[in-house]
């Protein structure tokens, strides 16, 4: 298998890359870690005329915490860098928890957050994590930059709100209040496979163990991730018990109509979501999951 | 024919140059241009792990990179493990535990395990299984591979202590 021939450039600044992307007049693609695009090129499902490699643009990589607590992750930051970052572990534990689920270590050493978001696979972890944490995606073109809420970024399978002359520059994660809890669960046939379905959640409990707020992101059930308003409604204002976690799982499952494919039927995915929402909430509540009153 | 690009890199400590088409995958560059056929090519879309090598010390799929991208990089391949025919503790453990049958997956597993044991010198069996989950072996059933990597970890600790 050989990719079709292409022209290749590896700019060292974002400006150069954007100029090439917007002004080449060619069918150009940007190359992040290449863990999705290169397989597609090897299969000749993608045959760009011009490949713009972002790997030499150092300003696109890295993790920084702003004074207002917002965590900025550059588009070319590798999954593995996020996984091993002490700052991420401290400020965004949900990401730390979820990173090992992304493929295998060899893929995580190369693949990037920006690449995963721009590829927009329905079963990928990053889009759902950005839904759960209410992230913002910063897109840049030669005419400027704009901020896109993560929930409005994926438009369908492998389709995003990015314009042809735009790249993802960075992803902004809002400050997460101290005491917020997190859960991440997914099921795949084999370790590192794409998820059949998965759940990423945040949970805020008050001192009495009552749910103040939550966000439940579900992926692998539809073309794009979704936030379960039904599960949130079931939780809000109620004491976080095992029974409540199960109710939230049922509420989430009742509201979805997942795809069937050769990996899993719609019915199976629905059952998985019921269980995974329950497990994610239990994981989030931890030792503070109250015993149910008989 | 597209323009050829000059690249210069280090492979197993030795400087190497090449002239490559941009579409030349790194795996094909190693095998067909450098005649280093130790790196195997299986699925060519990043699933099987046979082509795993180290790029600047980190394990990666050489089928999912282009040779033009490693200009200036330091690579390690399976050919760089044994010195003067003397197997490394990891290779020796694979040998003793019969951690290979057909051998197709072995170079990728060795390079994956090399990088893994540097990061985690005292792994549990579960951690080993997780580390090699991106390398498919169709012969062994993985049990001897896991045993070999755990054994190699012990041997390496003894060597380090000595």
């Amino acid at each position: 298998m050989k990719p079709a021939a292409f022209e290749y450039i590896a700019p060292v600044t974002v400006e150069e890359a954007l100029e090439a992307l917007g002004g080449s007049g060619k069918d150009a693609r940007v190359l992040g870690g290449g863990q999705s695009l290169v397989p597609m090129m090897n299969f000749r499902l993608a045959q760009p005329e011009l490949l713009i490699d972002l790997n030499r643009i150092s300003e696109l990589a890295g993790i920084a915490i702003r004074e207002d607590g917002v965590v900025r992750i550059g588009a070319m930051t590798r999954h593995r860098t996020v996984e091993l970052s002490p700052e991420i572990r401290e400020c965004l534990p949900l990401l730390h928890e979820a990173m090992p689920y992304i493929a295998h270590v060899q893929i995580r050493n190369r693949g990037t957050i920006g690449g995963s978001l721009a590829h927009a696979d329905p079963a990928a972890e990053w889009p759902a994590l950005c839904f759960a944490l209410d992230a913002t995606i910063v897109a840049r073109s030669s005419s400027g930059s704009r901020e896109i809420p993560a929930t409005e970024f994926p438009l369908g399978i492998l389709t995003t709100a990015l314009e042809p002359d735009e790249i993802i520059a960075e992803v902004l994660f809002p400050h997460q209040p101290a005491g917020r809890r997190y859960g991440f669960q997914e099921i795949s046939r084999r370790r590192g496979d794409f998820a059949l379905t998965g759940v990423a959640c945040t949970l805020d409990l008050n001192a009495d163990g009552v749910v103040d707020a939550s966000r439940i992101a579900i992926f692998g059930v539809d073309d794009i991730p979704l936030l379960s308003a039904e599960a949130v409604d079931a939780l809000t204002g109620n004491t976080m018990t095992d029974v409540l976690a199960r109710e939230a799982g049922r509420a989430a499952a009742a509201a979805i109509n997942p795809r069937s494919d050769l990996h899993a039927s719609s019915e199976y995915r629905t059952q998985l979501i019921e269980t995974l929402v329950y497990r994610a909430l239990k994981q989030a509540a931890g030792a503070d999951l109250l015993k149910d009153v008989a | 024919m597209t323009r050829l690009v000059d690249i210069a890199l280090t492979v197993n400590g030795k400087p190497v140059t090449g002239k490559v088409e941009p579409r030349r995958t790194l795996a094909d560059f190693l095998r067909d241009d450098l005649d280093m056929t130790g790196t195997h090519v299986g699925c060519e879309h990043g699933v099987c792990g046979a082509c795993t090598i180290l790029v600047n010390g980190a394990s990666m799929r050489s089928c999912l990179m282009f040779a033009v991208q490693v200009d200036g990089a330091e690579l390690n391949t399976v050919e760089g493990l044994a010195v003067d025919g003397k197997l490394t503790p990891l290779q020796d453990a694979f040998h003793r535990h019969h951690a290979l049958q057909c051998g197709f997956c072995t170079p990728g597993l060795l390079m994956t395990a090399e990088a893994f044991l540097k990061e985690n010198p005292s792994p549990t069996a579960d951690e080993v299984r997780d580390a090699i989950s991106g390398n498919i072996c169709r012969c062994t059933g993985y049990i001897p591979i896991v045993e070999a990597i755990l054994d190699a970890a012990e041997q390496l600790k003894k060597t380090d202590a000595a």
Side-chain angles (χ1 to χ4, degrees), chain B residues 105-156:
Chain B
C105 69
T106 312
L109 273 159
L110 287 171
M111 299 317 289
T112 299
E114 277 283 332
F116 170 66
L117 288 177
K118 282 208 175 73
E119 267 178 30
N120 186 349
S122 307
T124 64
D126 271 353
E127 288 168 344
V128 170
R129 287 199 179 87
D130 182 56
I132 63 168
S133 65
N135 294 77
I136 294 176
C137 170
R138 298 292 76 168
C139 302
T140 63
Y142 300 103
I143 291 168
I145 295 176
V146 174
E147 287 169 353
I149 295 172
L150 289 170
D151 188 338
E154 290 303 313
Q155 300 306 321
L156 284 163

Side-chain angles (χ1 to χ4, degrees), chain A residues 62-80:
Chain A
I63 297 166
I65 300 166
R66 297 197 322 212
E67 266 178 33
D68 58 0
V70 168
V71 180
R72 168 205 175 273
I73 303 184
M76 287 299 292
T77 310
R78 319 280 172 190
H79 310 311
R80 185 76 170 151

Side-chain angles (χ1 to χ4, degrees), chain A residues 1-3 5-6 8 31 35 38-39 41-44 51 53 55-56 80 104 106-107 109-110 191, chain B residues 2 22-23 28 43-45 52 58-61 63-66 68-69 71 112 119 130 133-135:
Chain A
M1 283 193 307
K2 310 295 165 221
F6 54 84
Y8 171 87
L31 178 64
Q35 305 301 287
V38 178
M41 290 175 67
N42 285 354
F43 282 128
R44 300 206 176 192
L51 198 60
D53 187 350
N55 281 279
R56 301 208 181 249
R80 185 76 170 151
H104 310 285
Q106 300 97 330
I107 306 281
N109 277 333
R110 187 71 183 166
R191 193 91 180 92
Chain B
T2 27
R23 64 167 160 173
D28 285 347
C43 70
E44 293 184 80
H45 65 287
T52 302
S59 59
M60 291 184 193
R61 309 289 206 215
C63 75
L64 296 189
M65 294 178 70
F66 297 112
V68 286
Q69 296 188 279
D71 185 35
T112 299
E119 267 178 30
D130 182 56
S133 65
N135 294 77

